[in-house]
Amino acid sequence: MLKIPELSNPSVCMRDPQRVQDILQSMVKAGSNTVQVISDFDMTLTRFAHNGKRCPTCHNILDDSKLISSDCRQKLKELLNTYYPIEIDSSRSVEEKLPLMVEWWTKAHEILVEQKIRKDLLAGVVRESDAMLREGYQLLFDHLHEHSIPLLIFSAGIGDILEEVIRQAGVFHPNVKVFSNYMDFDESGVLKAFKGELIHIYNKREGALLNTGHFQELRTRPNVLLLGDSLGDLTMADGVQDMENILKIGFLNDKVEDRKQSYLDSYDIVLIKDETLEVPNAILLYLTGNK
C-alpha cells in the first residue's frame, strides 16, 4: 500500500483505492518532471467556509465590496438565488444547465460593467475581503514552484480578482498560469467589458480546447493532478495532449448526501467538507520523492 497516511483521513472517500494506488505509482515512476497540476480556484484552492461562515468567491469579493451600489448588489443576489440552485441540482443534466449558466454569468457581468469599476481599487477590495485560501496553500504553491511543476488555475471567476488574491498571499509564482474571465478596462482604468470567451462552470472543456498553445508547451508533462469542486471541473484537462495518467481530486463542500455518489463516480479521491489542502499536498510530496 502507498505510504500516504493522509489517504486514511476521515474526510477521504475513494470508490477504487487500488486504482488511485496504480495511478500514483505510475506517476512516481515517470518522475515529477512529467507532472502538471490543473486546478479550479473558488472553493477548491479557496475555502468554502470558515467558522461556519461561507467564504467569498472571486465574484462575491466584488459583489460584497463598496465598489458596487446596493441596487446592483440586490440584482446580483437575485441572480444567485435564481441560478445557484440550478447549478447544484443533481436531477438536471449538464446540457440542461448550460444555457442557464451562460445566462447567469452574462447578466452578472453586464450588471458589473454598469458599475464603472476602477482597476486601481481592486487590490484594496481584495485586501478588505474575507477571501481565504485553504489551509496548506503555502506548501502547495511553494512546493510546485520549487519543483518547477506548472500550475494552471482554471476559473469561472474573475481573473483580475483571483490574481490579486494569490499575489497578496505571496504565492503568485512564475510557474502559475491563470485561465479565467478577465476585465477589460478603458484608457482611464474603468471597466468597460469582459474580455474574450466567457468561462463558466460548465464550459471548461471549451476553454481548455481554446488554449491549445498552453497545453502544447506542456506536452512533455502527460501526467495530470486535477483539483476541482464541481462536476464541471472534470473537463479542465481535456486540452492535455497525449495524456498518460490523471488523478482527479474533488472537494465536496456542500449538499453532501445528494451529490456524494456522483462525485465518487467521477473523481478518484473525494474530500468531504475538508477545508485544507492536506491530501493534495501529501500526494505532491509523494510524487516529488519527499515520502
Side-chain angles (χ1 to χ4, degrees):
M1 195 49 196
L2 295 171
K3 297 182 185 66
I4 306 180
E6 289 79 0
L7 288 179
S8 309
N9 284 5
S11 67
V12 174
C13 288
M14 293 180 272
R15 189 189 66 231
D16 187 350
Q18 184 58 49
R19 182 181 140 77
V20 169
Q21 181 166 337
D22 294 346
I23 293 171
L24 283 170
Q25 279 171 338
S26 170
M27 283 184 169
V28 163
K29 205 178 271 160
S32 62
N33 60 337
T34 67
V35 173
Q36 57 174 304
V37 180
I38 302 177
S39 180
D40 170 52
F41 187 70
D42 289 317
M43 299 177 281
T44 296
L45 292 177
T46 63
R47 285 175 184 250
F48 177 76
H50 181 58
N51 294 337
K53 184 175 175 279
R54 284 289 302 266
C55 290
T57 63
C58 293
H59 278 97
N60 299 150
I61 289 172
L62 206 50
D63 302 354
D64 299 341
S65 77
K66 55 180 187 295
L67 302 188
I68 277 179
S69 69
S70 54
D71 177 46
C72 170
R73 190 171 297 121
Q74 187 51 40
K75 284 184 191 164
L76 290 166
K77 200 178 172 137
E78 284 163 17
L79 289 177
L80 177 75
N81 294 341
T82 305
Y83 292 100
Y84 181 65
I86 297 171
E87 180 197 309
I88 62 169
D89 181 350
S90 47
S91 69
R92 292 188 192 226
S93 70
V94 168
E95 289 67 39
E96 211 179 322
K97 294 177 184 184
L98 259 176
L100 297 165
M101 294 301 107
V102 174
E103 211 172 274
W104 178 12
W105 253 241
T106 307
K107 284 179 184 171
H109 287 171
E110 282 166 2
I111 292 169
L112 289 173
V113 169
E114 285 166 16
Q115 295 295 292
K116 307 259 188 289
I117 291 162
R118 280 174 39 199
K119 184 177 186 166
D120 60 350
L121 298 178
L122 292 179
V125 160
V126 169
R127 204 167 288 117
E128 288 159 26
S129 76
D130 296 328
M132 284 180 92
L133 290 162
R134 284 184 191 266
E135 197 181 307
Y137 76 86
Q138 198 96 40
L139 174 62
L140 180 94
F141 280 88
D142 291 354
H143 196 73
L144 288 172
H145 180 224
E146 237 163 81
H147 289 266
S148 307
I149 296 172
L151 167 60
L152 170 62
I153 300 176
F154 204 142
S155 171
I158 301 174
D160 311 75
I161 302 269
L162 187 167
E163 288 191 4
E164 198 52 50
V165 172
I166 57 178
R167 188 178 292 116
Q168 290 183 18
V171 291
F172 196 179
H173 301 313
N175 63 316
V176 177
K177 188 163 174 136
V178 179
F179 292 169
S180 190
N181 298 302
Y182 279 90
M183 295 174 154
D184 199 2
F185 298 96
D186 64 18
E187 55 288 350
S188 57
V190 173
L191 176 65
K192 61 171 184 180
F194 278 81
K195 293 178 188 167
E197 295 291 323
L198 174 72
I199 299 175
H200 59 78
I201 193 156
Y202 288 120
N203 75 340
K204 288 191 170 179
R205 177 168 199 272
E206 286 71 7
L209 300 178
L210 279 174
N211 286 286
T212 47
H214 170 79
F215 293 112
Q216 185 70 31
E217 280 168 41
L218 295 184
R219 64 182 183 284
T220 56
R221 293 179 176 269
N223 292 306
V224 179
L225 194 58
L226 179 142
L227 309 178
D229 77 306
S230 89
L231 299 179
D233 291 332
L234 292 157
T235 61
M236 294 189 297
D238 285 10
V240 175
Q241 303 183 356
D242 308 321
M243 179 140 49
E244 279 171 24
N245 297 287
I246 181 165
L247 185 71
K248 300 187 268 252
I249 302 176
F251 287 90
L252 178 48
N253 299 308
D254 195 15
K255 302 265 184 295
V256 172
E257 285 321 306
D258 292 357
R259 304 198 289 169
K260 188 174 173 182
Q261 196 50 54
S262 59
Y263 275 59
L264 281 170
D265 292 342
S266 316
Y267 281 104
D268 302 302
I269 298 173
V270 178
L271 302 174
I272 294 178
K273 290 191 179 289
D274 181 342
E275 293 293 352
T276 75
L277 290 163
E278 198 179 336
V279 171
N281 280 340
I283 286 170
L284 264 178
L285 292 170
Y286 181 79
L287 290 178
T288 50
N290 303 58
K291 33 188 186 295

